[in-house]
């Protein structure tokens, strides 16, 4: 045969032990069996090392005989499942030095395989002890490295999920990462702790179904990530399709391959829809998910990727998703910031509106006049002004205030303006209840408009504010009976809007009731009417 | 003794109107010939087209409108305009369009008094001079830049403006009123002429006790004796 180190090569192993492979997978293999092989050693044994037989599973219980002598066993052989005691997953059997010299040697294995395993890396290696140990631990190290990487992803995704508790997408991704981690760690852990073969069966069963569950979570995550509707429909459909090959019943309906292809294509189509929908991040998104389905695709077309490549695609997928999620978080934060800024701007606008030069300085000028003409009235004017500022101060930083407070503000404002304009203004209110709430200074703006544009100098007037609830919305009507707006045509309306603070009103409504409000205005029965409708 | 003046008040809030009137009468007493009151800009414009008066006390922002756009229609006329307004940030622009003064609200009697004094003092010069003068073209007012003007010539009831590019425009504001709002470089060298002193090339005696000024483009303008002395002081370092 060849050099010693060649014996440690699993590839060599596969050629030699062709016969062993199919046997290990044979279903219904019961009873006790024997296996024999002859080896011809050419060179002398290395004085510093010994030969070793390294078993990875193969059979659930066996006895080894080298040159006729027993050199060890794993588990207890039995002629039935109950009699058999399964052994450990990995076992090393040293070959005595005196039996390792040049010449022909015979290996005989007596085994039973009632606790058959579907272990991927079924190996029997004959080689130098140190080399075998080295290879074995290299394999374990590689596994732990992968576990470490996936564990990092788990920790990061859990941290994200924790800080975005309300968002399903982060939880789904964390679950996916955990499954990925478990998948990468179950087999190495079982091997590392060198448990009984029975544990391996359990581990394999878990891994088998974990593949299924992982795909479900991957699809769920994809659906949420690219925001596709009818998520549960898709999940059920995909789950059903993918379940058939997993249950092993696919040969009853079409063929095994058909179902696996169907599942793959389903996933790919959802992915495509998602990419088209989310154009702005499609580059990385496409790359990430293509990486995800690449191993499955290669398997389907008969060119399975090597294990290492598969691991790399998994890692790349996870980290591209992490990156995308982080981008999402950044964008959300930016939006929140912009919303906050807009809020602050609106508050500033409100305050500026209420202390506009036109208002303050003209009021003070008016006050000077009243002090001279009628000091009692002057004092009343001061009281009204104080009250108005008190209320504005109270409501300035709120997003919404009770409608009753807004009406109080309007009443005070009218009181004040009566002094300014030397006319009488009434405010009639109807239908407002305590629960109604709107953004601050909307009615106030409209009343201001009315006073400025609708009434002639010295003309008395009446303002009406009515509220009514209709099914799922609230309607507010703000009307005045000013003579100047009674003959307004469409051209004038366009010009009026600009000076009427409607921009403020619209921004405020949109901030608190996005896309849920309507604003109309016009002439109705001699009244100038503004109607605001808010859906709840 | 000041001449009696006819005043137009343009203001929409009655208490403020009353106060402006009261203050005006309190300051000017018998110098007030008449006070008229209108509440809107359109009413004011109708008044200016039909009546004559000397001084307009104007609030720019009536009924929320911005009176600024038509302000040059006021300042182009043969009366002075004093703005009384709450919008102090418009003061500079108002001066540039040719108002006599800008009194911020709320005003004191003293401040209003100071504004009236500028009206009566023919020699007062504006600290912030007019930049854009209204000129009349085919019965409409348009605005030209003061820096384009070489000199003014009075011609009966209206004024001719001679521009540096050789063109000529018409204006309605009397020279005395113009002097109160033009930049310092404009000098009244004659009863009928105001000239931009920087446009003067030479000046001098031209025989028979008369003087004249020659501009950089060769135009000659008569000069009176006081103005001659003034120019001598100005040109001699």
């Amino acid at each position: 045969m060849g050099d010693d180190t060649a014996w440690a090569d699993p590839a060599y192993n596969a050629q030699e032990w062709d016969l062993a492979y199919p046997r290990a997978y044979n279903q219904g293999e019961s009873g006790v069996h024997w296996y024999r092989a002859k080896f011809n050693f050419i060179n002398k044994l290395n004085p510093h090392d010994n030969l070793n037989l390294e078993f990875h599973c193969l059979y659930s219980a066996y006895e080894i005989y080298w040159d006729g002598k027993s050199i060890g066993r794993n588990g207890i052989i039995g002629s039935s499942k109950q009699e058999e005691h399964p052994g450990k997953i990995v076992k090393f059997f040293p070959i005595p030095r005196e039996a390792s010299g040049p010449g022909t040697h015979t290996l005989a294995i007596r085994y039973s395989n009632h606790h058959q395993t579907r272990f991927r890396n079924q190996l029997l290696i004959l080689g130098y002890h140190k080399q075998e140990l080295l290879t074995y631990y290299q394999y374990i190290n590689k596994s732990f490295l992968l576990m470490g990487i996936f564990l990092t992803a788990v920790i990061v995704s859990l941290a994200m999920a924790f800080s975005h508790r309300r968002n399903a997408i982060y939880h789904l991704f964390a679950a996916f990462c955990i499954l990925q981690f478990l998948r990468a760690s179950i087999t190495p852990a079982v091997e590392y702790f060198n448990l009984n073969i029975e544990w391996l069966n359990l581990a394999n069963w878990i891994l088998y179904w974990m593949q299924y569950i992982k795909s479900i979570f991957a699809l769920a995550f994809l659906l949420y990530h690219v925001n596709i509707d009818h998520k549960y429909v898709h999940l059920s459909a995909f789950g059903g399709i993918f379940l058939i090959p997993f249950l092993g019943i696919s040969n009853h309906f079409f063929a095994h391959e058909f179902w696996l292809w169907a599942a793959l294509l389903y996933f790919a189509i959802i992915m495509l829809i998602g990419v088209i929908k989310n154009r702005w991040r499609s580059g990385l998104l496409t790359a990430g998910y293509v990486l995800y389905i690449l191993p499955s695709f290669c398997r389907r077309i008969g060119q399975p990727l090597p294990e290492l490549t598969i691991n790399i695609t998994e890692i790349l997928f996870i980290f591209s998703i992490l990156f995308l999620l982080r981008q999402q978080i950044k964008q959300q934060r930016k939006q929140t910031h912009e919303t906050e800024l807009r809020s602050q701007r609106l508050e500033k606008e409100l305050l500026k509106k209420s202390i506009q030069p036109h208002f303050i300085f003209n009021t003070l000028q008016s006050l000077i006049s009243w002090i001279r003409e009628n000091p009692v009235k002057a004092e009343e004017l001061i009281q009204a002004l104080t009250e108005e500022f008190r209320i504005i101060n109270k409501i300035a930083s709120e997003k919404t205030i009770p409608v009753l407070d807004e009406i109080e503000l309007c009443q005070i404002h009218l009181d004040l303006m009566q002094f300014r304009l030397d006319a009488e203004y009434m405010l009639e209110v109807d239908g407002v209840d305590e629960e109604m709430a709107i953004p601050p200074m909307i009615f106030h703006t409209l009343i201001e408009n009315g006073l400025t544009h609708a009434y002639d100098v010295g003309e008395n007037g009446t303002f009406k504010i009515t509220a009514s609830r209709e099914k799922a919305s609230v309607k507010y009507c703000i009307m005045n009976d000013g003579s100047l707006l009674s003959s307004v045509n469409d051209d004038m309306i366009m010009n009026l809007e600009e000076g009427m603070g409607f921009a403020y009103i619209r921004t405020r409504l949109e901030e608190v009731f996005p896309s849920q409000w309507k604003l109309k205005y016009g002439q109705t029965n001699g009244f100038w009417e503004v109607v605001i409708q808010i859906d709840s | 003794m000041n001449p009696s003046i006819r005043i137009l008040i343009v203001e929409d809030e009655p208490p403020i109107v009353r106060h402006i009137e009261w203050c005006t009468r309190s300051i000017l007493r018998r110098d007030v010939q008449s006070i008229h009151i209108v509440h809107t800009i359109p009413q004011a414009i109708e008044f200016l087209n039909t009546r004559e008066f000397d001084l307009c006390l104007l609030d720019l922002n009536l009924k929320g409108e911005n009176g600024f756009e038509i302000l040059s229609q006021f300042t182009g006329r043969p009366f002075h305009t004093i703005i009384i307004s709450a919008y102090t940030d418009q003061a500079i622009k108002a001066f540039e369009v040719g108002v006599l003064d800008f009194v911020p609200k709320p005003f004191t009697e003293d401040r209003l008094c100071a504004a009236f004094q500028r009206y009566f003092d023919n020699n007062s010069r504006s600290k912030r001079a007019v930049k854009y003068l209204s000129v009349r073209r085919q019965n409409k007012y348009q605005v030209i830049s003061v820096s384009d003007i070489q000199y003014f010539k009075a011609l009966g009831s209206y004024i001719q403006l001679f521009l540096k590019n050789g063109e000529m425009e018409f204006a309605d504001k009397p020279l005395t009123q113009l002097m109160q709002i033009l930049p310092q470089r404009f000098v009244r060298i004659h009863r009928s002429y105001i000239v931009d002193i920087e446009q003067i090339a030479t000046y001098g005696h031209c025989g028979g006790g008369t003087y004249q000024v020659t501009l950089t483009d060769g135009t000659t303008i008569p000069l009176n004796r006081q103005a001659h002395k003034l120019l001598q002081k100005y040109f001699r370092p």
Side-chain angles (χ1 to χ4, degrees):
Chain A
M1 302 275 181
D3 200 359
D4 295 328
T5 41
W7 298 71
D9 185 359
Y12 161 84
N13 187 41
Q15 290 164 1
E16 274 288 310
W17 297 95
D18 267 339
L19 294 174
Y21 257 33
R23 287 209 169 187
Y25 274 114
N26 237 341
Q27 295 202 351
E29 182 182 273
S30 63
V32 180
H33 304 267
W34 279 90
Y35 181 85
R36 284 173 68 94
K38 275 195 178 336
F39 294 96
N40 198 7
F41 290 174
I42 296 171
N43 299 323
K44 264 211 212 142
L45 190 62
N46 182 341
H48 303 292
D49 205 350
N50 285 337
L51 278 183
N52 230 355
L53 270 172
E54 186 182 340
F55 272 77
H56 286 254
C57 290
L58 274 184
Y59 312 114
S60 44
Y62 47 89
E63 292 162 6
I64 314 286
Y65 298 93
W66 184 258
D67 288 343
K69 276 223 216 118
S70 159
I71 56 167
R73 62 175 174 80
N74 193 12
I76 296 177
I77 296 177
S79 30
S80 65
K81 194 157 182 189
Q82 301 92 308
E83 279 186 20
E84 181 186 274
H85 290 259
K88 299 236 178 272
I89 297 171
V90 177
K91 199 142 185 187
F92 289 81
F93 299 95
I95 295 176
R97 286 194 72 85
E98 52 278 13
S100 308
T104 313
H105 300 275
T106 310
L107 167 67
I109 307 176
R110 180 173 175 254
Y111 68 89
S112 65
N113 199 15
H114 297 104
H115 294 81
Q116 65 195 319
T117 63
R118 287 195 206 96
F119 184 42
R120 269 181 310 169
N121 298 335
Q122 304 238 10
L123 298 173
L124 169 55
I125 305 172
L126 171 61
Y128 274 115
H129 183 63
K130 284 181 187 157
Q131 183 65 41
E132 284 178 358
L133 272 182
L134 187 65
T135 313
Y136 178 67
Y137 281 111
Q138 273 175 349
Y139 161 72
I140 292 283
N141 282 342
K142 193 192 76 165
S143 306
F144 275 103
L145 176 63
L146 279 176
M147 280 167 62
I149 294 177
F150 287 124
L151 187 60
T152 311
V154 167
I155 293 172
V156 171
S157 62
L158 280 177
M160 271 186 181
F162 184 71
S163 49
H164 296 87
R165 266 161 292 200
R166 276 169 292 164
N167 203 337
I169 201 174
Y170 298 100
H171 293 282
L172 283 173
F173 187 62
F176 176 81
C177 287
I178 290 174
L179 285 171
Q180 191 72 39
F181 169 70
L182 287 176
R183 196 175 85 90
S185 55
I186 281 185
T187 311
V190 160
E191 289 185 326
Y192 181 76
F193 293 107
N194 207 6
L195 304 171
N196 259 349
I197 282 185
E198 279 173 316
W199 284 103
L200 200 56
N201 284 334
L202 178 64
N204 285 335
W205 185 88
I206 293 175
L207 281 176
Y208 183 72
W209 285 105
M210 192 170 291
Q211 186 61 31
Y212 176 74
I213 296 173
K214 199 177 68 124
S215 300
I216 302 288
F217 271 97
L219 184 66
F221 174 76
L222 174 60
L223 288 168
Y224 273 90
H225 197 203
V226 299
N227 211 3
I228 290 182
D229 297 321
H230 314 299
K231 299 180 178 64
Y232 284 108
V233 171
H234 288 300
L235 279 173
S236 315
F238 176 80
I241 293 175
F242 205 32
L243 191 59
I244 292 175
F246 268 84
L247 286 176
I249 56 175
S250 36
N251 286 317
H252 291 277
F253 325 94
F254 309 111
H256 190 72
E257 275 302 301
F258 168 81
W259 294 103
L260 292 174
W261 268 111
L264 180 66
L265 285 175
Y266 199 109
F267 197 98
I269 289 172
I270 300 277
M271 188 186 104
L272 215 63
I273 296 175
V275 162
I276 293 172
K277 248 188 125 191
N278 292 272
R279 267 176 299 234
W280 61 269
R281 26 181 187 150
S282 50
L284 192 56
L285 194 71
T286 321
Y289 281 105
V290 161
L291 280 174
Y292 178 73
I293 59 175
L294 192 62
S296 311
F297 179 70
C298 291
R299 230 176 289 137
R300 294 282 72 72
I301 61 172
Q303 304 284 339
L305 295 170
E307 185 76 14
L308 183 64
T309 314
I310 295 181
N311 288 327
I312 290 176
T313 62
E314 286 169 350
I315 293 172
L316 286 176
F317 170 69
I318 286 188
F319 283 104
S320 66
I321 297 295
L322 277 176
F323 183 77
L324 280 171
L325 287 179
R326 209 187 135 258
Q327 294 293 81
Q328 214 169 320
I329 292 175
K330 257 185 15 185
Q331 227 222 352
Q332 270 171 12
R333 221 171 265 159
K334 200 173 100 165
Q335 272 178 1
T336 315
H337 187 58
E338 277 171 12
T339 313
E340 238 180 75
L341 281 181
R342 193 172 50 232
S343 251
Q344 283 177 4
R345 216 174 33 231
L346 281 173
E347 185 184 332
K348 211 172 70 157
E349 230 181 279
L350 184 154
L351 289 173
K352 267 177 73 174
K353 265 164 67 71
S354 42
I355 61 166
Q356 267 175 12
H358 195 257
F359 178 65
I360 297 245
F361 295 144
N362 275 307
T363 303
L364 290 175
Q365 183 69 69
S366 202
L367 183 58
I368 292 179
S369 183
W370 284 113
I371 290 175
R372 190 180 45 79
E373 269 180 47
N374 187 337
V376 171
K377 270 200 165 165
E379 204 175 308
E380 287 170 17
L381 172 51
I382 292 179
Q383 291 296 356
L385 186 63
T386 310
E387 195 56 27
E388 180 152 355
F389 281 142
R390 190 189 62 78
I391 298 178
I392 287 176
N393 201 39
K394 191 174 85 169
I395 66 176
S397 49
E398 305 293 330
K399 282 217 173 71
T400 60
I401 57 169
V403 174
L404 287 172
D405 282 2
E406 177 77 17
I407 288 183
E408 193 190 338
L409 177 64
C410 293
Q411 182 64 70
I412 283 289
H413 187 70
L414 281 174
D415 290 344
L416 192 154
M417 290 309 280
Q418 289 186 97
F419 291 108
R420 286 264 304 271
L421 302 174
D422 221 3
E424 279 178 24
Y425 299 104
M426 306 282 297
L427 177 62
E428 291 173 12
V429 180
D430 189 32
V432 177
D433 64 52
E434 289 145 356
E435 279 122 40
M436 294 177 179
I438 47 163
M441 286 190 79
I442 288 191
F443 294 169
H444 183 280
T445 304
L446 294 172
I447 300 235
E448 257 297 292
N449 284 343
L451 289 171
T452 309
H453 298 283
Y455 291 97
D456 223 336
V457 174
E459 181 189 344
N460 297 335
T462 305
F463 286 84
K464 284 197 212 174
I465 300 181
T466 53
S468 54
R469 287 190 190 274
E470 292 167 17
K471 290 183 236 179
S473 60
V474 188
K475 204 163 83 158
Y476 302 102
C477 294
I478 303 93
M479 311 175 257
N480 69 60
D481 60 356
S483 58
L484 295 182
L485 283 180
S486 56
S487 51
V488 149
N489 59 31
D490 288 326
D491 287 333
M492 288 169 69
I493 290 184
M494 295 297 267
N495 294 333
L496 286 179
E497 263 238 16
E498 255 185 62
M500 276 184 172
F502 274 98
Y504 171 84
I505 295 178
R506 289 185 209 275
T507 317
R508 277 285 184 179
L509 286 171
E510 184 62 25
E511 188 200 17
V512 177
F513 306 108
S515 306
Q516 293 165 308
W517 57 274
K518 286 198 255 298
L519 187 149
K520 290 182 299 189
Y521 51 83
Q523 272 286 310
T524 323
N525 304 329
F527 278 83
W528 176 259
E529 192 181 65
V530 176
V531 179
I532 296 176
Q533 186 171 326
I534 298 172
D535 307 320
S536 39
Chain B
M1 273 302 290
N2 289 325
S4 64
I5 65 175
R6 301 157 296 182
I7 296 179
L8 173 67
I9 299 179
V10 187
E11 168 62 61
D12 63 346
E13 296 189 26
I16 298 180
V17 168
R18 294 196 290 268
H19 186 70
I20 294 177
E21 188 177 351
W22 185 85
C23 277
T24 305
R25 291 196 188 278
S26 160
I27 295 167
L28 297 178
R29 298 177 194 274
R30 265 171 281 187
D31 294 336
V32 173
Q33 181 180 323
S34 65
I35 295 185
H36 276 95
I37 297 165
V38 294
H39 297 298
T40 68
I41 301 279
Q43 284 173 352
I45 293 189
E46 202 198 304
F47 196 86
L48 339 152
N49 286 332
T50 53
R51 309 277 282 269
E52 276 184 15
F53 55 94
D54 308 300
L55 178 63
C56 179
L57 301 176
L58 168 67
D59 182 348
L60 277 177
N61 301 85
L62 301 181
K63 285 272 167 232
E65 286 166 29
N66 186 355
F68 223 91
E69 283 129 26
I70 46 83
L71 184 55
S72 46
Q73 286 191 46
F74 284 72
T75 53
R77 309 265 186 165
F79 56 81
H80 269 312
T81 304
I82 293 177
I83 306 274
I84 303 181
S85 168
Y87 287 93
T88 43
D89 51 352
Q90 293 177 334
I92 293 178
K93 272 177 48 181
F95 279 112
E96 288 177 0
V97 174
V99 303
L100 179 66
D101 205 350
F102 188 105
V103 176
K105 280 181 185 168
F107 60 86
T108 58
E109 234 181 278
D110 285 346
R111 181 62 181 89
L112 193 59
C113 186
F116 285 135
Q117 274 173 357
R118 292 186 71 188
Y119 174 86
F120 287 116
D121 181 4
N122 290 339
N123 295 323
S124 84
R125 299 307 298 268
S126 182
K127 260 180 272 177
R128 189 168 287 282
V130 61
K131 270 193 185 167
Y132 308 103
L133 264 184
S134 296
V135 296
R136 192 159 37 91
R137 281 189 205 149
Q138 290 153 343
N139 284 330
K140 274 171 70 171
Y141 279 98
Q142 267 156 12
V143 150
I144 61 163
S145 182
V146 164
S147 52
D148 293 340
I149 302 175
Q150 262 191 333
Y151 68 96
F152 299 79
K153 178 176 171 189
L155 214 59
S157 61
Y158 59 91
I159 307 290
Q160 278 176 319
L161 282 66
F162 292 88
L163 306 183
K164 291 175 186 165
N165 60 11
E167 284 172 20
M168 200 255 301
E169 303 279 1
F170 292 102
D172 288 333
K173 233 171 167 72
L175 290 185
T176 318
Q177 285 184 358
L178 280 173
M179 279 301 286
Q180 286 169 307
I181 60 174
L182 282 169
Q184 303 272 13
R185 65 179 186 273
F186 284 89
V187 180
R188 187 95 178 256
I189 58 171
H190 190 275
R191 199 166 50 92
S192 310
Y193 290 90
I194 295 177
V195 74
D196 178 355
I197 213 172
E198 289 164 15
Q199 296 294 307
I200 295 179
T202 60
Y203 66 99
H205 198 235
C206 59
T210 59
Y211 303 86
Q212 74 179 20
V213 147
T214 313
L215 303 180
T216 50
D217 68 348
T219 323
T220 57
I221 304 174
L223 180 66
N224 67 29
R225 201 200 295 270
Q226 290 138 305
H228 182 253
K229 284 212 184 88
L230 200 79
L231 288 182
Q232 280 179 321
K233 263 204 219 135
Y234 180 81
F235 282 111
R236 250 170 236 157

